[in-house]
Amino acid sequence: MDWDAPWETKALDADAVRNRWTKYYVAMRERPDDATRWRFEIESEGQHIGWVSSYLIDAHYDWISNKQANNGKKAYRAIGIDICESNIWGRHIGTNALRAFIRYYAELGCRELYTQTWSGNVRLIRVAETLGFQECNRLEGEREVRGETYDGLTFVLKM
C-alpha cells in the first residue's frame, strides 16, 4: 500500500482480509471460463507476487461500480497493477503483465484504456508512458502521501 493508494490508511484486520480473499477465490472458481476477467494474478519463479486488475471510471475519471454501469452510467475501463514484492521490481515483470492485460482487453474489443496514479509514483508513470499511455487529466494537490502533497493523474491509451 506504500504506492497503490497510500492515502487509504484504513487498518487491516488479518482475519477480514483472509475471509475476503477466500470469498474472492471461491467466486473465481465458479465463474464461467468465457466470463470477462477483471483481474489476473502474477506469478514469478513459482511465487505469487501481485496482480493486474481493472475497474470502471466515469467521464470525470471517478470510480464507479458495475451496478452503476449496468444501470446506464457511461463507463470507461481503467487498469492497474500491484507487485507486492519489492525485490521483484525493476525486472520488467510489471510492464510485461500490464502489456498482456492490455492485449487481453484489446482482443475483447476495448479501444481505450485508462490508468490512474499519483505524481509521486514515478515507477507506474514510467511504465504507463512506456506502454503508450498519455496523461489526460491532472488534479493538482489531490493526494497527500507521507506528509507531502501530490497530483492525481489519469492516463489514457488509445488502441
Side-chain angles (χ1 to χ4, degrees):
M1 294 308 294
D2 288 343
W3 298 101
D4 180 10
W7 51 89
E8 294 178 0
T9 58
K10 61 184 175 190
L12 298 176
D13 173 89
D15 288 334
V17 171
R18 188 176 303 103
N19 287 337
R20 188 181 80 213
W21 281 108
T22 299
K23 287 179 184 176
Y24 165 76
Y25 286 117
V26 167
M28 290 302 100
R29 280 197 312 259
E30 295 173 356
R31 288 181 61 132
D33 289 340
D34 62 348
T36 300
R37 304 266 313 265
W38 64 273
R39 178 179 171 132
F40 288 160
E41 304 302 320
I42 304 171
E43 181 182 296
S44 177
E45 299 173 6
Q47 178 184 357
H48 179 266
I49 61 164
W51 54 88
V52 289
S53 59
S54 72
Y55 55 98
L56 300 176
I57 58 175
D58 65 15
H60 303 288
Y61 310 108
D62 294 322
W63 177 89
I64 65 169
S65 69
N66 286 333
K67 183 177 182 180
Q68 289 172 297
N70 290 338
N71 286 336
K73 186 164 187 174
K74 180 71 174 162
Y76 303 90
R77 174 108 19 219
I79 61 174
I81 184 167
D82 285 286
I83 295 185
C84 305
E85 307 297 330
S86 61
N87 62 321
I88 301 292
W89 297 350
R91 298 184 192 177
H92 307 288
I93 295 169
T95 303
N96 291 332
L98 271 177
R99 186 177 285 120
F101 207 42
I102 290 166
R103 192 169 33 251
Y104 171 76
Y105 276 108
E107 289 171 1
L108 292 175
C110 189
R111 296 292 163 243
E112 185 175 83
L113 287 171
Y114 293 82
T115 193
Q116 298 179 304
T117 192
W118 52 290
S119 58
N121 191 347
V122 295
R123 297 179 77 83
L124 181 59
I125 293 168
R126 187 171 54 238
V127 167
E129 290 172 345
T130 296
L131 294 173
F133 283 86
Q134 296 181 335
E135 185 178 322
C136 63
N137 191 54
R138 179 179 290 255
L139 298 173
E140 293 184 13
E142 173 76 7
R143 302 293 181 205
E144 185 173 322
V145 179
R146 296 180 277 284
E148 299 288 326
T149 302
Y150 295 91
D151 297 344
L153 305 176
T154 301
F155 296 83
V156 63
L157 174 67
K158 303 222 183 237
M159 301 180 285

